[in-house]
Amino acid sequence: SALHVLPLGFVESSCRSRIFWMKLNKLLLQGKFFQLEIYDPYSGPVLLDEQLASRCGYVLSEDVWGNPVFRASVLGCHVANEADELFSLTVNIKVSSFSSMRAAATYTYPMYCSYASWASREIVCEENYMEVSVKTDVPAVSNDYTVAWMSALPETQNVAYQQWQLMFVSPSGRKRITVSDAVKLGYSFNNSLSRVYLRAPYHSNESDVNVVSGVTMNMITSTSMYRQRWLLLLIDTTVSCPVDGISFTNTTLTWTVPRVIPTLVVQESTFLSKSIVMGVDDQVIVNPEEMNYLLEYNETHIRITIPTGAEGGKLESSISGGVYGVTYCIDLFLEHTWTDADWQTTKYTVIKSITTPFMPQMPTVINNTVPEERLFNVALGHFLPDVSLVAITVGNVPFSLREAQHHGFKIYETPFSNGTKAFILEVSFDDLYVLREYVNRNETKYTLLVNYTLSVGLEMTLYYHSAEVECVIADIVVPEAVGSCDEENLYLTLPTFGLHQYWDLYLGNKLLNRHLALTNGYLAATNSTHLILQIPLFAGGLIYEEVSFQKIKARFDVALRKVRTMETLQMFSISCSFNSSAFIICHPDGTIMVSAQMKTVPAIDMSKTKLRDSSCKPKEYNEAHAFFKFHVTTCGTSVRFEGDHIIYENEISYEKETLPKQSIPTITRDPDYRLTVLCYYQAKETLVLGAFSRDPATSPPFGSGTMFPRSNTAAYRRVRKALNVVSRVSKDESFTEFYGPSTAILKQPMEPVFLEVELKDESPSVELYLENCWVASSPDFNSNPRWNITVDGQVVLTVQLTH
């Protein structure tokens, strides 16, 4: 590799207390690989690895922003030491575009540190090592030999190093080893001009774990020994560092360190704290409260509390188990200086990188839609800056951001004061992919279904979040109908907007479609805005409110119902009076009304007209008309079957006067008058009836029942035999599949029930009339309440509850 000039802004360094700090700019390392080499003045560069780092007092990690950070103790293996006051260390930074580090560029970076204010004992608790350094006083030598002794110091230090031994005390016993053997175990021991130091990894075989004031400590109890013929030097190099003490709540993290550590303070009564300082990265925080940090201590503990998301740390998004959340990390250090009787001054430094556990954060969908603008405005938040929106799906149709913008969706970000952001999506109510549903009377429910695809964190993990936003606005005009009449027809005119889309017209319980209109004899015409329905006076579906031989009052009712729910929104009703001279009306309930017109010469007395049963006389009459009203089961009405129809027939005739009454031959001056009356009914017709209860308490959410027939016993006696009457419940309106006898049938409230009563007798002289039919809550024929369907042979068109 070749030496290069450092790029501007690539490296920052500082000297904090007795620690070298160096930070590399991650932006200048994007897409590249790097290594660090420690320059040894005697043997050249040495590649930094984990084993070398913990033994020699180096740390290579990242700060919370992802920038590589290198820290080194001024007592590190390769640090040049001038009189324990000036320290220098040179690092080679190798950068390559290849993982093999070929063709690497090498940047040499020297660092300098000045530190003269050594305490009697200094302890550093780093991420990967513990270090204790102790001030030593070399015995005085006579003045005559001082200069010569000082000039020979490097050689004597080498000899002295070989003569040092270490004594470890652990639960397994005492262990005494040489310095060279200690190096093989991962320790580093050396002495400088005025200090002896020991560096040890965490959790070595010679270490012990104990709990001090609730905090777990890793401790190495050791004594360093130096022996010459005339000198025995024993130095306490015990070190103890916290390995936990971190706790979390939903909003804070707390770091607790024991204030007094018994293994380091033998005479606790003489203990006195002189200074407690906290810092972030390599900077001392003089006024923690200004950054919302809390530094507090009592007789036993020192406690630092940091709000989650506080300045100096970093919130980072991540995904765990498909759930979005955040972690917060911050690099702290604590410096505690104290005095006691055994050690004049101890400076105790702990460097700690803290990361909270994963904290789930459910994204919030905020509906800022303003109905008046007919525009969905939906915010999805709150997200950290490391989250980006990459795609959306609207109504099951995927869009990239570019496609979404091109389609007409508006997507943008909005920042919040706490550093988070939300993604805003704006979609028109009238967009193709917005769902619409007609609700209530005159409202539309617009529904926006969105699935967001987001890229989360540095790993760019994909995260999906769905949202459903609804808005109901009154933007539909329920149509109003206009009715009119002429001499022979009723007319209904109403707007076509929404017809068949939101609502339909119903005649009774039948959909008023083209087929029904044609069957009933209606004429329908439409233009661009309206439907005009022409209903002839004697067309099907009319209700005759008043019928006499001179006047007919007819009403046409049509219901406006919702397409989906069948709920009736409005009833349109036209009622008109007509002058009519001759007509016949066959009611669904079997009532026949006939207005007969005189067309004879000479004229006859219409009061003397009659039906087959001579007791059935006209209800009204005048010189030219006679009006009859009777039921198909009375007045001598006969019945026959032709194809799919039942035909009821009667006859209006005139009772002639004869002169003389008893003479033969009969002489009369009255003309013949015979008028045949025919009414056609469909042999098979499904009659749909609606039922409701006046007392909601009697309306259960569902119902079940069985159908029971009971024949009139008096009729049995009259015909002198039992009639074969069968009643059944059909599974649907086709009346082709039926439930078995005495089978319980479960029905929902608005679900129809299809009833059939059939006479199986083949005798042509026997007819079936459904006299009384009702629904009850039990098989008891006398039970109450009951819902009448037919009473005395008459159909009850609106079924109501009776008690």
Side-chain angles (χ1 to χ4, degrees), residues 336-375:
H336 181 198
T337 304
W338 74 77
T339 61
D340 61 79
D342 296 300
W343 300 89
Q344 295 174 359
T345 306
T346 298
K347 187 175 183 180
Y348 188 81
T349 303
V350 187
I351 300 175
K352 194 77 170 177
S353 180
I354 303 174
T355 300
T356 66
F358 176 80
M359 296 177 287
Q361 304 279 323
M362 180 58 69
T364 304
V365 176
I366 306 167
N367 185 6
N368 296 320
T369 299
V370 180
E372 293 77 11
E373 298 178 1
R374 296 184 61 82
L375 189 72

Side-chain angles (χ1 to χ4, degrees), residues 433-452:
Y433 301 111
V434 172
L435 303 180
R436 299 167 185 78
E437 181 184 359
Y438 171 49
V439 295
N440 304 323
R441 180 177 176 84
N442 62 334
E443 296 175 327
T444 305
K445 180 170 74 174
Y446 296 92
T447 304
L448 177 66
L449 300 176
V450 188
N451 193 19
Y452 297 86

